[in-house]
Amino acid sequence: MRKKITKRCLMDKLSRPWRSVLYIPGDKPRALDKARGLPTDAIIFDLEDAVAPDAKDAARASLGQALAQGGYGPRAGMVRINDLGSPWGRADLNALSSARPEAILLPKVETAEDVAALAALMDGSAGFSDTAIWVMMETPAAILNAGAIASAPRVAGMVMGTNDLAKDLRCQVNATRSALQMTLQTCVVAARAAGIVAVDGVYNAFRDDAGLTAECAQGRALGFDGKSLIHPAQLAISNAAFAPSADEIDLSRRQIEAFEEAQTAGQGVAVLDGRIVEALHVQTARRIIAQSEAIAALEA
């Protein structure tokens, strides 16, 4: 089945920063209001884990009012609904059709068929005509099916659910997350093969700046586009970690310049700072420059 990608989703994947993706409970009006002024690249409006069962109806109402009011600017916004097998998932989806959310984040995904079921429901509503699907990668089955899930209809991004994964795997998670490395890398590979966004899981100790900094650095080294966050205090560290550094930007510009000069001289490669610069290096350099420009535009 050919994957359906909307024009807006394609634009987002190519240019939009995803350095910080902040969870905001859907049943907390003050938090929903405060999020309008936070320096986060994206918001996950949460109707699932952050909302108690007896508060689900109130959460839908408060979130619906917040989305209708708007004011979230250029921040990407997605709503994490409850899974469709729960008593609340379909009610969440029905309540959101008039809000026209940018994306629906589906939890407890295990197969591409789970995504197809949600896509079929969304295809039947005009309110979701331009809405993408994101998926939580939080079960062992999801990891085993990561490639098929990433290529499923409407899927534009993956968010790691590392807490749930650790629980289901019965593994012990240390500072290096060695027990989760296979799952993290599998999802990055699947996301890159499908051309979608990959966001790392949360860091639970939100007052531990050193630990968060280290985990962000690890996530970026693995290839993630950004990190999901549980507290606004984590935003600055994540934004800095997943943004190109001044040295990276400078090197990228010099690589592009050197390669273009080599091409003008009829050469297929260039030499810069004693290293070969090929077309593949220039592709990376152009992506870094584009990302830095997108971040600057967002922050402006």
Side-chain angles (χ1 to χ4, degrees):
M1 178 183 294
R2 184 177 179 182
K3 185 173 179 179
K4 179 181 178 182
I5 296 292
T6 66
K7 183 181 294 184
R8 179 170 63 182
C9 293
L10 181 60
M11 177 191 69
D12 291 347
K13 288 196 300 176
L14 293 176
S15 63
R16 174 179 276 174
W18 299 94
R19 301 166 299 167
S20 51
V21 182
L22 180 65
Y23 284 96
I24 298 291
D27 63 339
K28 299 292 189 293
R30 290 183 61 185
L32 291 168
D33 181 59
K34 182 179 179 181
R36 293 183 172 93
L38 294 175
T40 183
D41 289 347
I43 299 171
I44 296 174
F45 300 102
D46 196 11
L47 294 176
E48 195 214 14
D49 283 349
V51 179
D54 60 358
K56 299 291 187 184
D57 292 342
R60 289 189 207 104
S62 62
L63 178 57
Q65 292 173 0
L67 294 178
Q69 183 179 348
Y72 292 99
R75 300 165 187 81
M78 65 187 81
V79 180
R80 181 165 72 169
I81 63 173
N82 291 274
D83 70 274
L84 297 179
S86 74
W88 312 287
R90 288 176 181 259
D92 292 341
L93 200 62
N94 291 337
L96 289 168
S97 61
S98 60
R100 305 183 71 87
E102 190 168 341
I104 297 293
L105 176 58
L106 183 64
K108 308 298 186 287
V109 175
E110 297 203 322
T111 67
E113 287 72 25
D114 293 337
V115 180
L118 174 59
L121 293 173
M122 293 168 64
D123 287 342
S125 172
F128 296 122
S129 61
D130 199 29
T131 299
I133 293 174
W134 281 56
V135 292
M136 291 296 306
M137 301 299 287
E138 55 188 347
T139 72
I143 303 305
L144 292 176
N145 296 313
I149 291 170
S151 300
R154 288 183 180 249
V155 173
M158 289 178 160
V159 179
M160 297 302 303
T162 45
N163 287 333
D164 284 283
L165 266 174
K167 172 183 68 70
D168 287 354
L169 292 171
R170 304 176 194 170
C171 65
Q172 296 181 349
V173 180
N174 56 20
T176 64
R177 298 194 293 180
S178 56
L180 293 176
Q181 287 300 296
M182 186 279 283
T183 66
L184 297 170
Q185 291 176 305
T186 296
C187 290
V188 170
V189 170
R192 295 295 165 255
I196 65 174
V197 179
V199 175
D200 198 0
V202 300
Y203 186 73
N204 299 315
F206 63 88
R207 290 190 175 91
D208 178 10
D209 289 354
L212 175 62
T213 299
E215 195 163 290
C216 285
Q218 181 197 54
R220 186 181 178 194
L222 288 172
F224 283 103
D225 296 293
K227 193 161 186 66
S228 52
L229 308 171
I230 60 172
H231 196 280
Q234 298 176 315
L235 287 169
I237 289 174
S238 189
N239 282 340
F242 286 94
S245 68
D247 288 342
E248 288 176 303
I249 295 170
D250 176 67
L251 176 60
S252 295
R253 286 177 173 153
R254 292 191 296 118
Q255 285 177 324
I256 294 169
E257 181 179 353
F259 188 76
E260 290 177 345
E261 290 177 355
Q263 283 193 313
T264 301
Q267 300 171 354
V269 299
V271 177
L272 178 68
D273 300 338
R275 294 179 178 270
I276 294 294
V277 178
E278 301 179 83
L280 64 92
H281 300 111
V282 174
Q283 290 177 357
T284 299
R286 294 191 189 282
R287 176 181 58 78
I288 289 172
I289 296 299
Q291 182 184 16
S292 68
E293 292 174 347
I295 289 170
L298 179 67
E299 293 179 343

